[in-house]
Amino acid sequence: MKAVTWAGRNSVEVREVPDPSILNRRDAIIRVTSTAICGSDLHLVDGYVPTMQDGDILGHEFMGEVVEVGPGVDAAKLRVGDRVVVPFPIACGGCGACAAELYSCCENSNPNAGIAEKMFGHPVAGIFGYSHLTGGYAGGQAEYVRVPFADVGPLKIESDLTDEQVLFLTDILPTGYMGAEMCDIQPSDVVAVWGAGPVGQFAADSAKVLGAAQVVVIDKEPYRLRMAEEAGHTTINFDEVDVRSRLLELTGGRGPEKCIDAVGLEATHGSPHIAAYDRVKQAVRSETERPHALRQAILSCRSGGIVSVVGVYGGMLDKFPAGAWMNRSLTLRTGQTHAHRYLRPLLERVERGEFDPTRIITHRMPLTEAPRGYEIFKQKQDNCEKVVLTP
């Protein structure tokens, strides 16, 4: 079969690879009908997530048709022929973390738990197509994919919704929604969202759906800001104005009650000096993150407010404003998305028309053109916001 593979830093190739097969009783094989390139895939391509190997199959946003199931899969939950979306974390459904609906912290799905434990202090769940740190599982930017614990993760789509309407249930819609949900939004709240990429767009939409009085989206790309404005959000271009000052103007000098970092470890900054400081430190690996957005969110947030972090961070960062966090009674909430928790509720919201996931799709192309898709997405060429691939 054809699959999109990691071929070294800044290199992606479509290769012929062996078809997946059932390895465990609770496995299923999915024929992929739609898959997508995620912003966090760029962290792999850019070389900031360790343990990638040549030939690793990328991709954790995918859906398709079940073509084979293992003998241990409950037929009442999943059968051959079912149309499913597959959440990006792999969860066993039976451990303490899964019982608490903390699916991205599953204690049983990462066969390389020892590596993750050295990195994070405790292991994390396995993730499709996201390095050997998270299990070394083959990803979904392929014609077929093996799905472990298939009676726990996949959600059957039994309506006539298109792939594009449900594909993002796999990751970015639940991620944006969880970012907003962690904010405990009240009707009077101003919510500021750093990043107008796909996750930032959905975090802003979710904040609005959850009742925020105003949502402010921060970015520098005009096409991304236009997209946010068209969805009814206020915008700030950080290349044109000082973000904290503008947020104070919008909130009577007090700052937004809730702030969401939807950027993560490759953030940029409007000040060349600040941007250069973290870019150089990251390049020489004296820190693994560029935490501009996180710092700015903490320093901008109203005292007593909540900073929600759903942008991906992988290791150690420099100059974290711990004094502002502690002295101003800020609450910091974060986590890889517990996607399983949100699949059905968000599907129902899509069916009711509360979300239009398709609004962020700007590029569609066959799987064989994935390297071009990665390039235009990474370089923000041709107003690229989201690339959907069809095997």
Side-chain angles (χ1 to χ4, degrees), residues 284-313:
V284 299
R285 300 300 191 265
S286 60
E287 67 172 338
T288 55
E289 331 290 318
R290 299 201 299 266
H292 314 313
L294 180 58
R295 292 187 193 123
Q296 202 169 67
I298 289 171
L299 293 173
S300 300
C301 191
R302 183 174 302 190
S303 294
I306 295 174
V307 178
S308 170
V309 184
V310 288
V312 172
Y313 290 90

Side-chain angles (χ1 to χ4, degrees), residues 194-279:
W194 273 258
V199 169
Q201 299 282 348
F202 286 152
D205 291 354
S206 299
K208 185 177 179 181
V209 165
L210 292 173
Q214 183 181 20
V215 180
V216 184
V217 179
I218 301 150
D219 205 292
K220 70 171 183 175
E221 300 298 331
Y223 72 92
R224 288 180 161 189
L225 294 172
R226 283 195 303 272
M227 187 175 286
E229 288 171 355
E230 290 168 359
H233 310 308
T234 304
T235 60
I236 296 175
N237 187 325
F238 67 74
D239 265 354
E240 296 178 353
V241 299
D242 179 75
V243 171
R244 181 176 175 276
S245 298
R246 180 63 179 138
L247 287 171
L248 291 176
E249 290 175 6
L250 290 170
T251 57
R254 300 179 67 191
E257 288 90 350
K258 311 294 165 59
C259 296
I260 301 173
D261 171 3
V263 181
L265 64 87
E266 291 190 75
T268 56
H269 195 282
S271 165
H273 299 92
I274 294 174
Y277 173 85
D278 276 305
R279 186 66 187 87

Side-chain angles (χ1 to χ4, degrees), residues 96-294:
C98 288
E101 295 191 318
L102 301 174
Y103 297 103
S104 69
C105 300
C106 176
E107 298 162 353
N108 292 325
S109 64
N110 187 350
N112 296 333
I115 301 174
E117 187 172 354
K118 290 177 182 178
M119 189 76 175
F120 303 130
H122 291 274
V124 295
I127 296 176
F128 290 102
Y130 215 79
S131 84
H132 295 265
L133 181 69
T134 59
Y137 290 97
Q141 290 172 11
E143 293 180 302
Y144 295 89
V145 62
R146 179 178 74 95
V147 176
F149 303 110
D151 47 0
V152 175
L155 174 69
K156 287 190 284 187
I157 304 298
E158 298 174 295
S159 66
D160 59 357
L161 292 174
T162 67
D163 276 18
E164 291 185 355
Q165 288 175 293
V166 296
L167 174 60
F168 303 140
L169 291 171
T170 58
D171 176 6
I172 55 174
L173 182 53
T175 297
Y177 188 86
M178 187 171 116
E181 184 185 65
M182 288 191 295
C183 288
D184 292 340
I185 292 170
Q186 303 302 309
S188 60
D189 283 348
V190 175
V191 179
V193 180
W194 273 258
V199 169
Q201 299 282 348
F202 286 152
D205 291 354
S206 299
K208 185 177 179 181
V209 165
L210 292 173
Q214 183 181 20
V215 180
V216 184
V217 179
I218 301 150
D219 205 292
K220 70 171 183 175
E221 300 298 331
Y223 72 92
R224 288 180 161 189
L225 294 172
R226 283 195 303 272
M227 187 175 286
E229 288 171 355
E230 290 168 359
H233 310 308
T234 304
T235 60
I236 296 175
N237 187 325
F238 67 74
D239 265 354
E240 296 178 353
V241 299
D242 179 75
V243 171
R244 181 176 175 276
S245 298
R246 180 63 179 138
L247 287 171
L248 291 176
E249 290 175 6
L250 290 170
T251 57
R254 300 179 67 191
E257 288 90 350
K258 311 294 165 59
C259 296
I260 301 173
D261 171 3
V263 181
L265 64 87
E266 291 190 75
T268 56
H269 195 282
S271 165
H273 299 92
I274 294 174
Y277 173 85
D278 276 305
R279 186 66 187 87
V280 170
K281 291 203 71 173
Q282 189 186 53
V284 299
R285 300 300 191 265
S286 60
E287 67 172 338
T288 55
E289 331 290 318
R290 299 201 299 266
H292 314 313
L294 180 58

Side-chain angles (χ1 to χ4, degrees), residues 164-165 168 202 205 349-350 353-360:
E164 291 185 355
Q165 288 175 293
F168 303 140
F202 286 152
D205 291 354
R349 287 186 182 271
V350 171
E354 296 177 28
F355 289 103
D356 175 18
T358 65
R359 77 173 186 84
I360 68 165

